[in-house]
């Protein structure tokens, strides 16, 4: 198969952007295989994701140099990535391992284009007797109020050492400090077990039960210093009934959480998520 | 078709309830056609809805007298209703008439077992040139901050005169006073254009857009003095995308609102909704 | 608001298409507001839908002339349409009027960008006492096995006289002859009351009940001579239960049918549906 | 927690059934915790599922003896099961292990009340390096056209030796002979990767792609001699787009398949599925 590249960019909107980019790609031997765009009229900002392949005579360095000029002209934020260069992903987990198990399964059968760099838990390895961590370093990093700064320093050191591109809080159940959240801005995804903005904070399924809602949900979002307020990537819900106890909601919620997180992760890994202020642009397939 | 009756009841849970009720029905010639029950273990409270018909020799007065004794014994709240006696429903509307149009259509083709007693709007009749109000009295009741008490007195008077059982706020866009909300407790349904408890108050679609959620919803609930906090009867959602402007959400929301309100209304009319504190028990079909 | 145009095209895929089209638009003063594309790798065919507006100096005739050259070069099928030129739509209906009522309501509040040219029914006007046909000519065209050729000739004559662009079979319940289906190829949409290809032919809800499926659905498709085999535009389903009788399915189906048909109709009116052999490309918003 | 029992029964409908059963339960010290019923008016047949617990003085043998009398009187098919006696389940799998992985995970965290008796595959153990089969005997039983009778004899022998109650074809990809299907009637569940009755037989995702449907689905059903025609327990669907290749459908389908199969399995294990001719009654929670 021909090498494939993903070009993503955003810039203030004005006529001629598509023509300039398409011309550059064509001129340097690229073939546009897929393209999606979004013109935020309120913010007058333009976003696009282009998948291109080598039609036989792609001059990648030439294209990059040309794109740099185009980007200069249109004040673009842009990136181009070789699809075969998989992102490096660190997984943080607590004792609830359903999202972790799901991610590992999908990764092993080839659904998730990523390289797991580490699994970090505040619980010991023995917590996961039935999961197969073969090939992924596991780190037990217990955490207490006192040790939190130190534990986070360890995490950050590992992120750097392993050249991790993305951190996934797969039901990690710990709140990152503003400092670490800041360092991981735009590359740390959390799964919150409610349909935000309803039921922020702790025990959302119990809150949902108490309020008597008829659907429960989950939300995958980028982590920011502002708890449960980060840019939302994906959400989903399922119908519940008056018969469901908080424990039933926790059980049903597991299915929603793993589905929502795996979608958000997939889209991030495929460069489908662009930041638009406190919101996201998601170029779904 | 044989006459059909709906028996609903709730009481503190203890053994023997079903046996006592089923025995009473059998003894007085009734045939149980459908029954649903719910045992709230946390509240130790029992709820049931039973549809029975006349198996040939139903003694309704006898059954009622017997049920009164059973109810006394088990401290039941109960009611029995002849399905052919349709509930009398008053519709309050503002200039957004999509829910009203939907309810009227469903009523005319026989989907909604009700008798419309009146349509009240704070806009004049000419606002609705394409809706057919044939057979339903229309009342234009303008409202201002000053005239609100008087306008609500008019509404309440009409509720009484028309022997209205249920008031439906079909996008009425006005907040009932605590006084009127109290008078209509348990028999006034509102449609709120968000997935509560997210986005309470005004302009929920604009709030949803600003927050960047990926699904929008609507909520049908009983009206209480506590705004947007009444017992929820039904909710539903639909997927949106980053491309949708607040106006797009308003448009998509119309479909969700009319669907959610018509379901809640149907269930109320069929005695499928029982109150359980600040929540509802909904015996869906 | 600036004038807006929709450009749709398909052609054999090869490098340079996007560059050529985007360059033409830019050169003649157009601004690309939205663009979606699809590259069918199996068929090596490229599809795109571009919404452009006048950035201040659009030379539409120049753009059309340039596009004609580009189209020649790439063997394109293409069209450009002024969004303000609404399509002319004829509605065919039988006694089941839920889809018709829904379409009329959406049209009147401005959701559907179309001009209704006629409503044709095989039942008399008195069948629809509660629908408001104001401003739309109504034609009663009864049909029998013998009169079918003549009745279809009448329909076809009216299509021509009214310059109808699209015919919608809104639960018309009659099968078009191969001849008329052929004349209306690509511009006649039918709503079938099942999730095709399951339950083709008559009484699909009864078939669904007999088979014991757990979801029922509806399908909007272009009409072809091959009954229930035309290119599918949209489908949707809803959950049912063992309790539902065929009549219950008919009732629930009405909601699915009107939802599915109105979506398909909207997408057609907005040039979002392109034909790809016996399948459709649907550029959803 | 008090011991809990599930009573399921069906019989020709006539007045007095509920009263007789509820009276028997009450008399012998049982407490009805949940009850669902269905009256098939077309078949004049009554179905119920009752969950009861020991209110302190349950006489189980007495209740069983009394129920035998009631069953005689009403020509009932009935069963009562101690919820703590988990069903014994055999899992048959091919090289596609997503359903198996999902079932094992759910079982290990306590979601599925069952005892796995064996995993049988026509592929060797090494096919599943990342699944943890600890505690479950694995059997490699290759199959060819010639060896099929012998292989099925092995399976049947193992079913008997392990006292297996239920066989789950978790993407087993082999068609059972009429003989084995007959022996396992009502206790063998298959997951078919289409929304039946659409796309029966082989390669349903390729069929779905070729037809251009807009939703794909999966169906869990009891296995009968009549291929893909067994009583349906559960179905679900997901939206796809024109962009999806058959391979994309296979990938998306995995999520639907595992969701649908785990629900059907859960309901069977909880005695929520009753047979009604060629259809099922499913008393969902």
């Amino acid at each position: 198969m021909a090498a494939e590249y993903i070009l993503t960019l955003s810039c203030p909107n004005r006529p001629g952007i598509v023509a300039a980019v398409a011309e550059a790609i064509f001129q340097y031997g690229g073939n546009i295989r897929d393209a999606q765009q979004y013109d935020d009229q309120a913010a007058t900002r333009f976003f696009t994701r282009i998948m291109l392949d080598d039609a036989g005579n792609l001059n990648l360095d030439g294209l990059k140099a040309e794109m740099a000029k185009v980007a200069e002209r249109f004040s673009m934020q842009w990136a181009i990535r070789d699809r075969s260069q998989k992102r490096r992903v660190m997984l943080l987990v607590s004792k609830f391992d359903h999202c972790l198990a799901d991610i590992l399964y999908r990764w092993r059968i080839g659904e998730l284009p990523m390289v797991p760099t580490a699994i970090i838990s505040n619980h010991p390895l023995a917590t996961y007797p039935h999961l197969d961590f073969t090939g992924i370093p596991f780190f037990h990093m217990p955490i207490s109020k006192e040790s939190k700064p130190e534990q986070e320093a360890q995490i950050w050191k590992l992120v750097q050492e392993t050249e991790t591109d993305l951190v996934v809080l797969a039901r990690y159940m710990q709140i990152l400090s503003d400092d670490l959240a800041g360092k991981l801005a735009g590359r740390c995804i959390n799964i919150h077990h409610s349909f935000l903005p309803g039921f922020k904070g702790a025990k959302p399924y119990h809150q949902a039960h108490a309020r008597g809602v008829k659907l429960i949900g989950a939300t995958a979002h980028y982590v920011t210093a502002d708890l449960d307020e980060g840019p939302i990537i994906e959400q989903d819900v399922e119908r519940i009934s008056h018969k469901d106890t908080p424990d039933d909601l926790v059980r049903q919620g597991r299915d929603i959480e793993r589905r929502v997180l795996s979608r958000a992760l997939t889209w991030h890994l495929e460069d489908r998520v662009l930041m638009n202020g406190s919101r996201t642009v998601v170029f779904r397939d």
Side-chain angles (χ1 to χ4, degrees), chain A:
Chain A
M1 197 197 304
E4 293 174 334
Y5 302 86
I6 311 284
L7 172 66
T8 49
L9 64 86
S10 71
C11 62
N13 198 8
R14 63 177 226 234
I17 301 171
V18 178
V21 173
E23 180 58 30
I25 291 169
F26 179 58
Q27 199 179 322
Y28 288 89
N31 179 38
I32 297 179
R33 280 272 310 287
D34 191 22
Q36 289 161 291
Q37 63 176 69
Y38 166 55
D39 172 13
D40 185 339
Q41 295 217 279
T44 62
R45 195 161 179 86
F46 175 86
F47 302 81
T48 194
R49 175 190 187 271
I50 295 171
M51 184 171 78
L52 55 108
D53 63 12
D54 183 347
N57 54 345
L58 179 69
N59 173 353
L60 187 64
D61 289 337
L63 174 57
K64 283 180 178 172
E66 181 65 25
M67 272 305 301
K69 288 183 211 160
V70 172
E72 176 75 22
R73 176 146 56 102
F74 289 95
S75 308
M76 287 174 177
Q77 288 184 291
W78 70 289
I80 189 163
R81 195 174 65 84
D82 182 339
R83 279 190 83 188
S84 67
Q85 299 299 316
K86 294 175 182 172
R87 287 218 167 72
R88 300 175 63 77
V89 179
M90 181 178 289
L91 301 160
L92 272 61
V93 69
S94 188
K95 65 184 170 178
F96 301 115
D97 63 8
H98 52 284
C99 286
L100 178 65
D102 186 63
I103 289 171
L104 292 179
Y105 182 81
R106 290 178 193 272
W107 167 62
R108 292 209 189 272
I109 65 170
E111 269 191 27
L112 292 173
M114 68 180 201
V115 177
T117 57
I119 295 166
I120 295 178
S121 175
N122 53 338
H123 295 265
L125 183 57
T127 312
Y128 316 98
H130 303 297
L131 295 187
D132 180 1
F133 292 168
T134 305
I136 313 172
F138 176 88
F139 298 88
H140 177 208
M141 297 190 186
I143 188 167
S144 66
K145 206 174 169 184
E146 292 70 32
S147 70
K148 185 167 178 168
E150 192 186 342
Q151 192 249 22
E152 288 200 342
Q154 273 184 287
I155 294 175
W156 177 241
K157 186 156 169 272
L158 199 61
V159 165
Q160 291 173 298
E161 285 174 3
T162 56
E163 296 182 335
T164 286
D165 298 304
L166 177 71
V167 172
V168 176
L169 308 187
R171 293 301 307 275
Y172 177 52
M173 309 292 283
Q174 301 292 327
I175 297 166
L176 298 194
S177 69
D178 288 6
D179 178 53
L180 187 53
K183 282 171 176 159
L184 295 173
R187 53 196 191 109
C188 180
I189 295 175
N190 181 49
I191 178 75
H192 182 81
H193 40 317
S194 89
F195 182 70
L196 289 173
F199 312 128
K200 298 177 189 174
K203 290 193 166 279
Y205 291 125
H206 289 76
Q207 292 182 54
H209 182 262
R211 180 62 186 91
V213 291
K214 301 301 184 186
L215 303 166
I216 54 166
T219 303
H221 62 91
Y222 288 112
V223 172
T224 58
D226 206 354
L227 189 66
D228 296 340
E229 293 289 345
I232 294 170
I233 306 168
E234 171 64 345
Q235 303 186 289
D236 210 346
V237 296
E238 270 186 28
R239 190 162 286 278
I240 58 168
S241 93
H242 56 264
K243 287 193 180 178
D244 292 307
T245 63
D247 281 353
D248 293 329
L249 302 190
V250 167
R251 178 176 48 73
Q252 284 181 251
R254 281 195 292 261
D255 279 9
I256 316 176
E257 292 162 29
R258 65 184 197 173
R259 186 164 79 228
V260 167
L261 180 56
S262 75
R263 280 189 208 141
L265 176 54
T266 301
W267 295 338
H268 181 97
L269 294 174
E270 294 176 344
D271 304 275
R272 295 183 180 280
V273 191
L274 280 72
M275 216 66 86
N276 184 17
S278 62
R279 292 175 290 155
T280 62
V281 172
V282 180
F283 290 122
R284 299 183 63 160
D285 200 8

